[in-house]
């Protein structure tokens, strides 16, 4: 089972995605793949990470991987990838073909995978090329994920709406 949760910043995506991963895992402990590259030295992001860790408590086994997601997913367990938006940032230097191959590799895995992706494409077109590339990559990645997932949910105000 592959599931995508998509929504704006602070929409409640992670919370509902965590609930879904726990439900899919049944009696087994799911893995939480944290994609944030903590080398940026961003104290505000460190606070966000701490809040996420407290929210999920001991319910998940945490794996920190910022790029090679398909290499850390082993077997037929349940994995929550939070979040694909950070993964996109971490892989922005890679070609579209490489990104597509990485997503296709995830799709072929036997594991349950719950993806979290931020909606960044509903605003104005960014002024600088790097930001435009990020927004564009987020949109194309979202489309690929939605196509390969069994279920897709939009999350707003902590409420989820099934799209697929």
């Amino acid at each position: 089972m592959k599931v995508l949760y998509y929504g704006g910043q602070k929409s409640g995506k992670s919370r509902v995605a965590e609930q879904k991963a726990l439900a899919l895992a049944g009696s087994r402990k799911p893995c939480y793949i944290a994609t944030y590259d903590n080398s940026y030295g961003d104290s505000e992001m460190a606070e966000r990470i701490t809040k996420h860790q407290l929210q999920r408590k001991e319910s998940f086994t945490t794996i920190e991987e910022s790029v090679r997601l398909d290499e850390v997913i082993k077997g037929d367990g349940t994995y929550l990838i939070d979040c694909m938006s950070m993964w996109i940032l971490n892989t922005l230097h890679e070609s579209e073909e490489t990104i597509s191959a990485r997503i296709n590799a995830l799709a072929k895995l036997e594991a349950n995978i719950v993806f979290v992706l931020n909606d960044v494409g509903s605003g104005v077109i960014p002024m600088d090329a790097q930001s435009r590339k990020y927004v564009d990559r987020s949109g194309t990645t979202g489309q690929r994920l939605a196509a390969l997932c069994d279920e897709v949910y939009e999350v707003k105000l902590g409420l989820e709406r099934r799209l697929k």
Side-chain angles (χ1 to χ4, degrees):
M1 171 76 69
K2 308 292 187 285
V3 182
L4 172 62
Y5 285 92
Y6 177 77
Q9 189 170 320
K10 295 295 180 192
S11 62
K13 300 178 304 294
S14 293
R15 184 183 50 78
V16 295
E18 288 170 8
Q19 291 169 353
K20 182 68 164 190
L22 289 167
L24 288 172
S27 62
R28 296 172 66 183
K29 191 173 189 177
C31 293
Y32 184 104
I33 302 177
T35 61
Y36 181 68
D37 179 352
N38 210 12
S39 66
Y40 299 115
D42 185 333
S43 61
E44 191 271 334
M45 280 300 289
E47 286 180 32
R48 287 175 181 241
I49 290 167
T50 300
K51 286 181 184 177
H52 275 277
Q53 290 169 336
L54 291 172
Q55 178 177 307
R56 66 180 183 263
K57 300 178 182 145
E58 298 297 319
S59 301
F60 290 81
T61 299
T62 300
I63 300 170
E64 294 184 14
E65 177 53 54
S66 58
V67 176
R68 294 175 186 88
L69 303 177
D70 59 313
E71 292 179 14
V72 297
I73 296 176
K74 306 292 183 198
D76 61 352
T78 299
Y79 297 82
L80 168 60
I81 302 175
D82 197 359
C83 77
M84 293 301 289
S85 300
M86 284 293 138
W87 178 80
I88 292 166
L89 180 63
N90 299 333
T91 60
L92 205 53
H93 63 281
E94 296 183 357
S95 70
E96 278 285 334
E97 294 77 24
T98 301
I99 296 305
S100 184
R102 289 185 187 275
I103 292 170
N104 289 339
L106 289 171
K108 292 176 184 172
L109 296 171
E110 293 297 320
N112 293 319
I113 304 175
V114 179
F115 300 94
V116 175
L117 178 66
N118 288 320
D119 176 3
V120 297
S122 295
V124 297
I125 297 172
M127 295 287 287
D128 66 283
Q130 188 77 347
S131 296
R132 280 192 305 274
K133 183 177 181 179
Y134 176 78
V135 170
D136 289 352
R137 180 75 53 92
S138 181
T140 56
T141 299
Q143 289 179 54
R144 284 188 188 103
L145 287 171
L148 71 86
C149 283
D150 302 294
E151 297 176 2
V152 177
Y153 296 89
E154 179 182 34
V155 183
K156 290 184 178 185
L157 305 171
L159 304 172
E160 58 187 289
R161 179 176 24 167
R162 186 170 178 167
L163 302 177
K164 175 181 173 185

